[in-house]
Amino acid sequence: MQPTPLKALAAAICTLALSAPLAAQEEVRINGEVVERFNDLLVVDEGDRRLLVRPQGNSGERFQVGDDIMVEGRLEGDTVTASSLRGSADEPDNGDQPQARVVAPDVEALQRQLDEQGFGEMIELKRHEDVYRITSINEEGVDVHSFFSPDGELLEWHIKRPGHDRPHRDESLSTLEQSDVENALSDQGYRNAALVDFKGRHMEWMAQNDAEEQVILHVDYRGDVYREKRLPAWPAE
């Protein structure tokens, strides 16, 4: 795959730089997908935001667009100065310890769940640590990322609608009532919804889904859910 042209990368960097105000530095660990690359500079999609990653030396050159990556480093605004980069193919050194048995996924069962959710046909399946990440395309032609446990349980899904397709908070809150959003969530199958936070182009809500699981929702300012993530359960004794 050819590296991203310099002009395209410069435009991406400018977009990232202008999209957020200056922020204090903080140490972070992020997981995401490489969506742009020029030499050793990477643009990583973490889900709701894209970050420019500056690796140490030439350590970023081994990553290609589409790779899953874990980045540790210092975040300032939308730029991470990386101290460590790991790809999904990188394995820790376990010495002579036996490796865990990898169970092949039941692709047909996973596709049935995608069909039930209306997420469309599977086009890619990757294993990352203990999670299967599936990319599919829904009937609107939009990519959907779904995350399944090794046992085939749906843990999280994210309809990758572009930011410009979602109204901004400043354009919407003056005419949007909380009850309107609560009713919209109820129509989409969620109960006991509680507002958690406001973001630029989405709200975060906590609710109970059809499977009676506690989930965090990303809801746009029209009331449409485009991301659901199951909250972890307390470990059984």
Side-chain angles (χ1 to χ4, degrees), residues 153-173:
E153 293 182 285
L154 180 58
L155 305 175
E156 178 180 355
W157 54 263
H158 183 189
I159 301 173
K160 302 285 288 184
R161 287 166 47 198
H164 62 75
D165 186 49
R166 292 179 270 127
H168 195 276
R169 172 184 57 195
D170 297 341
E171 304 165 354
S172 308
L173 275 184

Side-chain angles (χ1 to χ4, degrees), residues 101-120:
R101 184 170 64 92
V102 176
V103 179
D106 186 338
V107 176
E108 291 185 1
L110 295 176
Q111 181 60 60
R112 283 196 296 271
Q113 291 195 62
L114 295 178
D115 292 339
E116 291 170 1
Q117 296 287 342
F119 293 161

